[in-house]
């Protein structure tokens, strides 16, 4: 009633007695299924490794388990330090990006299967069925992953946008954005005190605003998509840098490069393989290999330097936070000037809207 929560755990250290199950119940089927999937991941990825490789296998299995079940405690502390220092920690949990990707994949699959039946298409159009099933399945995935605050926020936003589309309304993006914000705040007023609320909605708002300006600014094809990805990542970095400094007291200097490489790899390769492993367990091994390959590709450059830079940035951020507010104002003005220059360049290329 007062929003106080607690989490318990079973001690299973070398000096502790082995845990003993006292009983079982049917009252928590989702939690039991989540735990069984987590145990299956660790069993699959650590059963065939040697003794000296068991520690590294446990770390990789922890990343895969976090992407599938949302259990962030499975990730090793050293890996968390690297992820935070490089600004990619948001990819190592069930975030709004993962749930949105899952909703998109589910909707695409439902639309493909729905179109194969003429009777179903006569009853309900395939786009409508795909939209509803995508939101429902995304809600089920969010429930399976623990129903965390980012998952609740994403499902609420998807439901609001889907309701607008089903009603036939075509609102401008500022109204859709404000309605989604209001829906999230109404369902969880305490979200206003969470940094993730402001970071996610500011990022979405900035992308809405800039994409409408630079929609036709780039050529078609893979080259245009690459330029658009660079621009979107740069815009989000500029917009979230002041917020990150004010909320956390530190900024990752390599966050732009790390996210530019990590977001497509984790979102389009590692996470789909990890989720598909629930249906076919051997895919967990491929997800683990992809996770290791991504860390090795970035470890020689971004990740290796990011740890040192991140710590130094944290120290600088704490010193700046203790100074006068003029420092924060200067950062905000600098980032705003960079975003304005970027938008001016984009509008010049795009022409009149």
């Amino acid at each position: 009633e007062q929003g106080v929560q607690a989490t318990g755990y079973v001690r299973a250290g070398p000096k502790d007695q082995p845990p003993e199950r006292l009983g079982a119940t049917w009252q928590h089927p989702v939690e039991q299924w989540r735990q069984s999937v987590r145990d299956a991941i660790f069993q699959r990825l650590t059963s065939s490794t040697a003794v000296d490789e068991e520690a590294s296998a446990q770390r990789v299995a922890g990343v895969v388990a976090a992407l599938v079940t949302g259990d962030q405690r499975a990730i090793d502390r050293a890996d968390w330090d690297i992820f935070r220092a490089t600004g990619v920690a948001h990819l190592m949990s069930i975030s709004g990006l993962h749930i949105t990707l899952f909703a998109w994949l589910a909707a695409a699959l439902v639309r493909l299967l729905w179109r194969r039946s003429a009777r179903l298409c006569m009853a309900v159009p395939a786009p409508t069925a795909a939209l509803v099933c995508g939101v429902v399945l995304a809600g089920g995935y969010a429930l399976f992953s623990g129903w965390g605050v980012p998952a609740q926020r994403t499902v609420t936003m998807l439901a609001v946008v889907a309701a607008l589309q089903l009603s036939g309304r075509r609102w401008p993006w500022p109204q859709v954005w404000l309605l989604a914000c209001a829906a999230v705040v109404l369902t969880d007023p305490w979200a206003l005190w969470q940094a993730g609320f402001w970071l996610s909605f500011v990022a979405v708002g900035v992308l809405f605003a800039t994409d409408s300006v630079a929609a036709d600014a780039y050529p078609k094809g893979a080259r245009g998509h690459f330029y658009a990805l660079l621009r979107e990542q740069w815009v989000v970095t500029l917009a979230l840098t002041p917020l990150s400094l004010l909320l956390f007291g530190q900024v990752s200097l390599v966050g732009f490069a790390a996210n530019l490489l990590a977001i497509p790899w984790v979102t389009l390769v590692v996470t789909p393989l990890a989720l598909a492993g629930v249906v076919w367990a051997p895919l967990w091994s491929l997800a683990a290999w992809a996770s290791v390959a991504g860390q090795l590709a970035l470890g020689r450059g971004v990740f290796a330097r990011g740890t040192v830079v991140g710590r130094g940035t944290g120290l600088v951020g704490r010193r700046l936070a203790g100074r006068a507010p003029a420092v924060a104002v200067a950062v905000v003005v600098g980032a705003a000037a960079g975003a304005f220059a970027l938008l001016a360049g984009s509008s010049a290329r795009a022409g009149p809207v």
Side-chain angles (χ1 to χ4, degrees):
E1 183 176 346
Q2 296 181 359
V4 179
Q5 299 179 354
T7 302
Y9 61 94
V10 178
R11 297 181 60 179
K15 297 182 180 180
D16 299 323
Q17 296 182 357
E20 179 182 356
R21 175 174 293 182
L22 301 178
T25 179
W26 55 269
Q27 298 179 356
H28 305 282
V30 177
E31 289 78 4
Q32 293 179 0
W33 185 28
R34 186 189 310 125
Q35 183 64 36
S36 64
V37 171
R38 181 186 184 278
D39 295 340
I41 292 174
F42 276 86
Q43 178 67 23
R44 176 77 187 184
L45 298 180
T46 60
S47 59
S48 60
T49 56
V51 177
D52 55 347
E53 298 178 353
E54 184 176 357
S56 59
Q58 289 279 348
R59 295 175 63 175
V60 176
V63 174
V64 176
L67 293 175
V68 176
T69 65
D71 184 12
Q72 301 182 13
R73 296 171 300 176
I75 300 180
D76 189 80
R77 184 183 298 272
D79 292 334
W80 268 126
D81 293 338
I82 295 178
F83 295 151
R84 291 193 183 98
T86 52
V88 299
H90 61 97
L91 296 175
M92 300 301 135
S93 59
I94 305 299
S95 63
L97 181 63
H98 296 146
I99 295 179
T100 305
L101 172 66
F102 182 86
W104 181 81
L105 293 176
L109 180 60
V110 170
R111 177 180 294 185
L112 178 64
L113 298 177
W114 201 273
R115 288 178 174 176
R116 295 180 177 273
S117 175
R119 181 178 300 177
L120 292 177
C121 290
M122 291 296 293
V124 179
T128 301
L131 184 62
V132 174
C133 292
V135 175
V136 172
L137 292 176
Y141 175 49
L143 183 63
F144 170 76
S145 63
W147 197 243
V149 175
Q152 298 176 26
R153 183 167 57 242
T154 304
V155 172
T156 303
M157 293 176 61
L158 291 176
V160 169
V161 175
L164 287 176
Q165 292 188 2
L166 292 176
S167 64
R169 292 180 173 86
R170 294 295 182 266
W171 289 5
W173 74 262
Q175 296 182 11
V176 177
W177 183 71
L178 290 175
L179 179 61
C181 291
V184 171
V185 173
L186 287 177
T187 56
D188 183 18
W190 293 104
L192 292 174
W193 277 263
Q194 297 174 359
F197 172 86
W198 298 103
L199 292 174
S200 61
F201 273 104
V202 168
V204 171
V206 169
L207 289 177
F208 268 134
T210 56
D211 285 344
S212 61
V213 174
D216 300 325
Y218 301 104
K220 304 296 182 180
R223 183 180 179 183
H225 289 296
F226 177 72
Y227 287 156
L229 178 63
L230 284 177
R231 184 195 60 81
E232 291 175 357
Q233 187 60 45
W234 179 245
V235 167
V236 171
T237 301
L238 286 177
L240 298 186
T241 294
L243 277 178
S244 300
L245 182 61
L246 294 176
L247 294 174
F248 305 117
Q250 62 180 12
V251 176
S252 176
L253 298 181
V254 296
F256 172 75
N259 280 278
L260 186 63
L261 299 176
I263 287 178
W265 184 254
V266 174
T267 304
L268 302 178
V269 179
V270 181
T271 301
L273 288 175
L275 293 177
V278 178
V279 180
W280 193 44
L283 292 178
W284 283 331
S285 300
L286 291 179
W289 174 85
S291 176
V292 173
Q295 293 188 34
L296 289 177
L298 296 175
R300 295 293 183 265
V302 175
F303 277 178
R305 291 191 296 268
T307 304
V308 179
V309 173
R311 291 173 182 171
T313 308
L315 178 59
V316 172
R318 287 191 294 270
R319 289 179 178 176
L320 291 177
R323 298 274 185 100
V327 177
V329 174
V331 174
V332 174
V333 171
F340 178 78
L342 189 63
L343 289 175
S346 300
S347 61
R349 291 188 301 269
V353 179

